[in-house]
């Protein structure tokens, strides 16, 4: 066996042991070399494809454009070119190959050497990861809560749009910085106290009211959950996720609601007190009306008596006047007045005492003593 035969044999052995596919194309774009790895990728045997057009390895819709590219490369330098090319197998399965091509100038002609590998699954995985990453970003951006995440070195690697709006700081000024170096105007002392207390135990901690400064400079309150990220399988700390919400308006609403409820309670209390006071006031008023009428009738009777006494003293009294006085006395019903007037006075005094007691109780309620 000559040296040329040995070289060809060794070259063939080398090509067939390379894991990447190798194809050599001549100036007519025909396949002249097709190694074992290429056979596995495309499904053709070397006997089936050698001598055939290399363009049958690409989809028909791309054969013209790929043909133009290959023809141009045949007239170019030896420069290596890396491309991703949609291809098609013997069973018409679409794949994507990553190929590096070089132009070979030999004594027997010009050739294109293509070394390639099937990256279909890799590409699909990358596309799927990119899609999942995009979906995750969309999900994170759609969450109505503030999200801040730091890694195991305390460097911020997540700062969602709600966090940007809450602090008035764009993520570009925050992501990549250590937490303590970030321009976040919140109660750092309280945050780090909670991290120190429970972070080392990998426990979730909750700060119900955390003071912070809003973008307009006003004071605000946020509710925040500090969630350590811990990989149980690796027994390793991975960082912390801060999940928060601006509760300033919620707190203001709660205060207004509490005030409204307080006013409502005061209104109900006032209505009850008014009812309690109204009852004794009513019978005091009724008794006063009775006493006023009785006083007026008695006063008229007394005036008649005085008039009669004057007439009798001057000798002008008569029987008719005496009968008139007797009739007035009967109408007055002195026996009834003697019995009812003291009771009316007593009831009125009792009613006023009850009102005074209620008023005193209200004063004590509204102004409790130090001892109470």
């Amino acid at each position: 066996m000559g040296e040329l035969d040995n070289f060809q044999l060794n070259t063939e052995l080398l090509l067939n042991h390379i894991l990447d596919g190798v194809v050599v194309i001549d100036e007519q774009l025909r396949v002249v070399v097709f190694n074992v790895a290429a056979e596995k990728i495309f499904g053709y045997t070397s006997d089936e494809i050698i001598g055939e057009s290399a363009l049958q390895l690409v989809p028909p819709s791309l054969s013209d454009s790929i043909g133009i590219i290959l023809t141009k490369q045949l007239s170019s330098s030896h420069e290596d070119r890396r491309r991703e090319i949609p291809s098609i197998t013997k069973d018409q399965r679409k794949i994507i190959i990553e190929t590096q091509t070089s132009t070979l100038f030999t004594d027997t002609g010009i050739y294109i050497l293509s070394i390639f590998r099937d990256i279909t699954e890799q590409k699909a995985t990358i596309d799927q990861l990119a899609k999942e990453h995009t979906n995750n970003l969309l999900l994170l951006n759609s969450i109505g809560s503030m999200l801040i995440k730091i890694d195991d070195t305390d460097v911020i690697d997540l700062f969602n749009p709600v966090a940007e709006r809450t602090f008035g700081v764009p993520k570009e000024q925050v992501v990549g910085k250590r937490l303590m170096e970030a321009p976040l105007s919140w109660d750092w002392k309280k945050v780090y106290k909670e991290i120190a207390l429970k972070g080392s135990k990998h426990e979730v901690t909750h700060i119900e009211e955390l003071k912070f400064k809003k973008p307009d400079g006003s004071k605000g309150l946020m509710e925040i959950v500090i969630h350590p990220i811990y990989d149980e399988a690796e027994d390793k700390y991975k960082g912390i996720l801060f999940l928060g919400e601006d509760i300033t308006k919620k707190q203001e609403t709660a205060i207004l609601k509490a005030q409204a409820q307080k006013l409502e309670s005061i209104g109900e209390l006032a209505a009850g007190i008014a009812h309690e006071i109204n009852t004794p006031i009513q019978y005091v008023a009724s008794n006063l009306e009775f006493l006023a009428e009785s006083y007026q009738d008695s006063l008229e009777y007394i005036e008649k008596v005085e008039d009669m006494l004057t007439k009798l003293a001057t000798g002008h009294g008569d029987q008719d006047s005496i009968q008139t006085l007797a009739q007035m006395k009967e109408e007055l019903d002195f026996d009834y007045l003697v019995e009812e007037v003291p009771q009316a006075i007593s009831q009125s005094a009792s009613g006023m005492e009850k009102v005074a007691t209620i008023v005193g109780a209200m004063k004590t309620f509204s102004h409790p003593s130090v001892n109470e």
Side-chain angles (χ1 to χ4, degrees), residues 15 47 57 108 157 164 171 196 275 284 293 318 320 325 371:
L15 289 174
D47 292 336
L57 300 177
T108 59
D157 55 14
E164 291 182 292
K171 66 179 181 180
H275 175 73
V284 166
E293 290 177 356
D318 55 22
D320 291 338
L325 285 175
N371 293 331

Side-chain angles (χ1 to χ4, degrees), residues 247-264:
I247 60 170
T248 309
K249 289 185 178 179
K250 188 183 291 185
Q251 287 291 92
E252 291 172 353
T253 302
I255 291 172
L256 291 174
K257 185 177 180 180
Q259 289 177 340
Q261 290 175 339
K262 185 176 180 180
L263 290 173
E264 184 179 349

Side-chain angles (χ1 to χ4, degrees), residues 88-145:
I88 191 165
T89 64
K90 181 180 178 180
D91 59 3
Q92 301 302 301
R93 182 170 52 87
K94 293 180 180 180
I95 62 173
I96 298 175
I97 62 170
E98 182 183 55
T99 178
Q100 183 171 339
T101 59
S102 303
T103 307
L104 305 177
F105 295 89
T106 69
D107 293 338
T108 59
I110 304 173
Y111 300 90
I112 294 176
L113 170 65
S114 174
I115 301 174
F116 58 90
R117 62 184 57 180
D118 183 358
I119 62 168
T120 307
E121 291 185 5
Q122 178 184 347
K123 189 75 173 175
T125 301
I126 292 173
D127 290 345
Q128 181 63 30
L129 289 174
K131 183 178 179 181
E132 290 178 1
H133 178 67
T134 301
N135 290 338
N136 288 337
L137 286 178
L138 289 173
L139 178 62
L140 290 174
N141 291 339
S142 65
I143 291 175
S145 299

Side-chain angles (χ1 to χ4, degrees), residues 307-321:
D307 184 57
M308 175 59 67
L309 290 174
T310 301
K311 287 180 178 181
L312 289 173
T314 58
H316 294 90
D318 55 22
Q319 189 64 31
D320 291 338
S321 298

Side-chain angles (χ1 to χ4, degrees), residues 196-214:
L197 284 175
K198 296 186 178 179
S200 59
K201 301 177 182 178
H202 321 304
E203 294 180 5
V204 176
T205 184
H206 180 205
I207 303 177
E208 293 185 357
E209 293 184 2
L210 180 68
K211 295 178 181 178
F212 76 103
K213 185 182 290 186
K214 292 189 170 187

Side-chain angles (χ1 to χ4, degrees), residues 12 15-16 22-24 26 29-36 38-39 44-54 56-57:
E12 185 176 346
L15 289 174
N16 288 333
V22 177
V23 172
V24 178
D26 65 13
L29 304 184
R30 293 175 302 191
V31 178
V32 295
V33 174
F34 201 77
N35 75 339
V36 172
E39 291 179 334
Y44 292 100
T45 65
S46 58
D47 292 336
E48 290 174 324
I49 198 69
I50 288 178
E52 301 294 333
S53 172
Q56 72 182 63
L57 300 177

Side-chain angles (χ1 to χ4, degrees), residues 161-179:
V162 179
E164 291 182 292
R165 292 194 297 271
T166 301
F167 290 102
V169 180
K171 66 179 181 180
E172 289 77 14
Q173 295 182 16
V174 177
V175 174
K177 291 187 177 181
R178 292 178 63 84
L179 183 62

Side-chain angles (χ1 to χ4, degrees), residues 286-343:
S286 178
N287 286 334
L288 287 175
E289 184 180 355
F290 164 71
L291 291 172
E293 290 177 356
S294 299
Y295 170 76
Q296 185 63 36
D297 292 342
S298 299
L299 186 61
E300 290 178 3
Y301 178 75
I302 291 170
E303 288 176 351
K304 288 289 185 181
V305 170
E306 288 179 346
D307 184 57
M308 175 59 67
L309 290 174
T310 301
K311 287 180 178 181
L312 289 173
T314 58
H316 294 90
D318 55 22
Q319 189 64 31
D320 291 338
S321 298
I322 294 173
Q323 288 180 351
T324 300
L325 285 175
Q327 185 178 354
M328 287 183 67
K329 180 181 178 183
E330 185 177 349
E331 289 176 356
L332 280 173
D333 194 357
F334 273 109
D335 293 337
Y336 174 77
L337 292 178
V338 168
E339 182 180 350
E340 291 297 325
V341 168
Q343 289 185 14

